[in-house]
Amino acid sequence: MHKVWKLLLLSSCLAVSFTAGAQDDQAPGQAQANKGSGARAELAKQPPTLQNIYGRKHVLLDGRWNYIIDPYETGFYNYRRQPFDQSPSGAGGFYDDRKPKDKDDAVEYNFDSSPTLAVPGDWNSQNAKLEFYEGTLWMRQKFNAAPTAGKRYFLYFGAVNYEAHVYLNGKKIGSHKGGFTPFQFEVTDRLLKGENTVIVKADNTRHQDDIPTVNTDWWNYGGITRDVLLAETPDTYIEDYQIQLAKGDMGRIEGHVQLAGAKGTTGAQDVTISIAELGVKTTVRTDVNGRAAVSIALPKNKVRYWSPEDPKLYNVTIAGATDTLNDRIGLRTIETRGHDILLNGKSVFLRGISLHDENPLIPGRLRGEGDMRMMLQWAKDMNCNYVRLAHYPHSEEMIKLADEMGLLVWAEVPVYWTISWEKPEVYANASQQLTDLVVRDKNRASVIIWSIGNETPVSPVRTQFMGKLADTVRSLDRTRLVGAALEVHRTGDVVTVEDPLAEKIDLASFNQYAGWYWSNNKEMMKFSFKVNYNKPVIVTEFGADALGGYHADSDTKWSEEYQDQLYKNTFKLLDAIPGLRGMTPWVLTDFRSPRRPHPYFQDYWNRKGLISETGKKKQAFYTLKSYYDQKQQQYK
Ligand code: GCU
């Protein structure tokens, strides 16, 4: 990790560039107007967010941020609902951080005397008044900087839910939609020597045309939920790279390096990729656009391939004339052959569990490595080798931890349930979130499956939408598998997986809730599954709600005994499916959901966790562990 240094940043020339998904200072009305062609064109030419942001010189702007709750967006619109930052002066909003000039000046907000909350962190868990709050919150942080000539500066957000408008020193620098993917703004020419003020308008109001849409079964946590960084790069810097084994080829690294630089300076440069431990040192020459393909033959019988049993990460150095980056990268191949999933050429069973980006003990969004390691360790305690990070991109830190701890990952974008399939701007948003996810995590060995969505209703417009997403992800990364959580339908006692989208993905992956949403422990064994795809079968969800500590017989719903019996029944049902190669039961821990109001059994918690909200393991936790111990033996 690059030395994290405090407060010393200097800069000269400015080049404010857009970043993926982000837009410069346009009023939502304006953005709305050009949502059609303009937005897509703008999105199309966005440079990707900086690869390996934590590997660059940076300062974290996390900590205590002052906040103002603004349900009527008074700090953004004048009383005629016209955005202040689109007015001729561009001033007038809370982002001015204005102080009264004298006793005659009645300023109706004040950040200095406003309360603070922790960043990264959702606001819902930090103030009881905000538990159910959906709307706008203004957040302000001050920091000192000393920009340096010949350097460039980027303000980088790991994630802000859902719509963010960002201001630096009273000036709008951009906006972004999407609560789970990173975005950045170049601030080289906006950074002051000395004190700077960054203000974020975060709004988690749900809309039908958003991704995710209005209806989800998770808590709509608002705020700056992941790290905020100020990163420094040289004028010409390494913007992006992919260093991974070629598809199905354990002897060759395939990838690319992309430089970015002040206009016209990028051009051709030598860039050296070295993996000292393997004696690999290869130099490539970038073309005029700063891009070079990478193809490196690896020494025979020397590579320790990354796997859950041996999560070996190599120190990789990418060094250009002006910029050098270090990364820790695992080398592994992942592919399918008929029903089999081959990890490094060997058939593997994905012993998984689904989880949300939520620490039940808070409850709130995972705040940092401690929270994340706790969640992944619980999965490992169950003898998992795989996790489904549902239903949206989790943090980069979480994925890096999975790399380190040896957990295979299913990563997903929140194309969840019934979204507005027919709207091009909705597709652009979904495709952008998918692109941002792949761009960010494409060097992580742990990620083996990109999921393009969950339980989306079969229709021609949906299948076309999802089909395009599958094509998009394949155009970005050929080395991994593409999945989606499909739905099943029942005819009599036969549960069939039949979905035109299955043709576009590499897996027959589906959710099924035998014994909970349909049938029960007594009846469910009469059902059988029909999966007519010569693809690996992955059951992406099954489960039952159980209130931790509530005990009864195994036919009494909400009891731990019911959940436990349902797991035992489900193993028998699924083991009968010839192509079964993995599962991610729903779900590792109880999690908050506004859709679960039963006052006693739920209290706004989805209780399908194998671990309760107090961190207590339920009976089924141990039942799943022993099932996975057997599977591990079987696939030894
Ligand atoms: C759905 C969905 C989950 C949800 C779960 C449940 O299948 O994908 O997000 O929480 O079922 O109902 O518990």
Side-chain angles (χ1 to χ4, degrees), residues 22-270:
Q23 300 198 357
D24 73 348
D25 41 13
Q26 294 171 347
Q30 176 60 33
Q32 197 67 33
N34 68 18
K35 230 185 215 151
S37 57
R40 276 200 301 284
E42 281 306 329
L43 280 174
K45 69 177 195 308
Q46 303 305 343
T49 39
L50 290 168
Q51 181 67 207
N52 189 2
I53 189 73
Y54 291 98
R56 298 169 193 270
K57 235 180 183 175
H58 68 270
V59 59
L60 285 173
L61 302 182
D62 297 348
R64 305 296 305 177
W65 289 49
N66 298 90
Y67 69 95
I68 299 174
I69 306 171
D70 185 13
Y72 281 42
E73 299 177 279
T74 311
F76 190 75
Y77 295 106
N78 65 19
Y79 80 117
R80 293 275 180 247
R81 271 321 263 183
Q82 299 153 330
F84 287 115
D85 65 20
Q86 295 302 306
S87 65
S89 71
F94 287 179
Y95 47 83
D96 294 345
D97 196 12
R98 212 160 74 74
K99 309 284 181 290
K101 286 192 290 304
D102 52 41
K103 64 183 178 183
D104 181 33
D105 184 7
V107 179
E108 296 190 273
Y109 68 93
N110 183 295
F111 277 106
D112 291 348
S113 50
S114 291
T116 63
L117 48 73
V119 166
D122 60 271
W123 60 59
N124 312 71
S125 61
Q126 299 192 57
N127 174 339
K129 277 195 303 192
L130 297 172
E131 183 182 358
F132 284 84
Y133 182 66
E134 295 186 300
T136 282
L137 218 82
W138 291 88
M139 305 172 69
R140 182 202 71 176
Q141 177 69 297
K142 288 182 174 290
F143 63 93
N144 286 321
T148 312
K151 300 291 184 189
R152 298 172 68 174
Y153 297 91
F154 297 85
L155 201 52
Y156 183 102
F157 294 84
V160 176
N161 193 43
Y162 176 79
E163 181 168 335
H165 291 261
V166 182
Y167 305 82
L168 183 63
N169 304 324
K171 290 273 173 290
K172 182 91 175 260
I173 54 173
S175 58
H176 179 265
K177 275 192 174 190
F180 305 102
T181 44
F183 59 97
Q184 70 193 31
F185 304 107
E186 174 154 15
V187 293
T188 307
D189 72 327
R190 298 275 176 96
L191 211 53
L192 301 175
K193 192 174 173 48
E195 186 176 85
N196 289 264
T197 302
V198 56
I199 292 179
V200 176
K201 173 189 187 290
D203 181 0
N204 69 338
T205 306
R206 290 168 291 121
H207 306 93
Q208 170 56 39
D209 292 351
D210 288 346
I211 301 281
T213 183
V214 280
N215 191 15
T216 72
D217 191 30
W218 66 79
W219 208 262
N220 183 24
Y221 289 112
I224 304 177
T225 54
R226 295 179 190 157
D227 287 339
V228 183
L229 297 85
L230 187 66
E232 176 189 287
T233 72
D235 237 347
T236 297
Y237 57 92
I238 299 169
E239 177 182 71
D240 192 32
Y241 57 86
Q242 178 162 14
I243 304 291
Q244 288 280 287
L245 289 184
K247 182 82 186 170
D249 184 346
M250 295 171 69
R252 192 168 61 83
I253 282 176
E254 187 181 84
H256 70 268
V257 175
Q258 176 69 59
L259 302 178
K263 293 270 165 304
T265 63
T266 314
Q269 263 195 33
D270 284 348

Side-chain angles (χ1 to χ4, degrees), residues 488-498 518 527-528 530:
V488 297
H489 56 269
R490 270 171 295 121
T491 352
D493 299 347
V494 178
V495 185
T496 306
V497 182
E498 205 161 319
W518 45 278
F527 290 96
S528 62
K530 201 162 124 241

Side-chain angles (χ1 to χ4, degrees), residues 373-388:
R373 198 176 282 280
M374 173 187 77
M375 298 292 277
L376 295 183
Q377 189 52 50
W378 274 334
K380 294 211 61 134
D381 294 349
M382 243 182 331
N383 199 5
C384 288
N385 61 1
Y386 168 62
V387 286
R388 176 186 179 198

Side-chain angles (χ1 to χ4, degrees), residues 413-570:
V413 284
V415 177
Y416 180 96
W417 289 347
T418 310
I419 65 167
S420 308
W421 308 108
E422 66 298 337
K423 298 200 171 159
E425 65 272 22
V426 174
Y427 179 80
N429 185 347
S431 159
Q432 191 60 51
Q433 293 192 33
L434 183 60
T435 303
D436 293 341
L437 169 64
V438 176
V439 164
R440 188 194 73 183
D441 296 340
K442 61 181 178 298
N443 287 305
R444 307 277 74 81
S446 55
V447 180
I448 55 167
I449 302 168
W450 303 116
S451 167
I452 55 178
N454 179 74
E455 292 188 351
T456 51
V458 177
S459 75
V461 68
R462 164 266 191 182
T463 303
Q464 197 220 0
F465 185 114
M466 298 299 280
K468 281 198 320 183
L469 284 182
D471 297 342
T472 297
V473 76
R474 288 191 200 287
S475 70
L476 291 164
D477 175 33
R478 291 175 337 102
T479 67
R480 293 177 174 83
L481 309 180
V482 179
L486 307 177
E487 293 186 292
V488 297
H489 56 269
R490 270 171 295 121
T491 352
D493 299 347
V494 178
V495 185
T496 306
V497 182
E498 205 161 319
D499 185 328
L501 180 58
E503 305 306 334
K504 295 288 283 185
I505 60 178
D506 300 307
L507 307 164
S509 40
F510 58 90
N511 299 349
Q512 68 81 28
Y513 278 93
W516 187 254
Y517 289 125
W518 45 278
S519 184
N520 54 37
N521 275 339
K522 266 213 170 59
E523 301 279 313
M524 65 187 283
M525 296 318 292
K526 71 178 181 192
F527 290 96
S528 62
F529 285 83
K530 201 162 124 241
V531 187
N532 296 337
Y533 300 101
N534 182 23
K535 298 181 181 198
V537 173
I538 305 287
V539 179
T540 33
E541 287 182 37
F542 69 83
D545 284 62
L547 177 62
Y550 175 61
H551 294 287
D553 62 37
S554 64
D555 293 318
T556 303
K557 285 195 170 169
W558 306 111
S559 69
E560 288 198 31
E561 287 73 15
Y562 190 97
Q563 183 189 52
D564 190 44
Q565 186 58 47
L566 181 136
Y567 269 68
K568 290 173 181 154
N569 290 348
T570 304

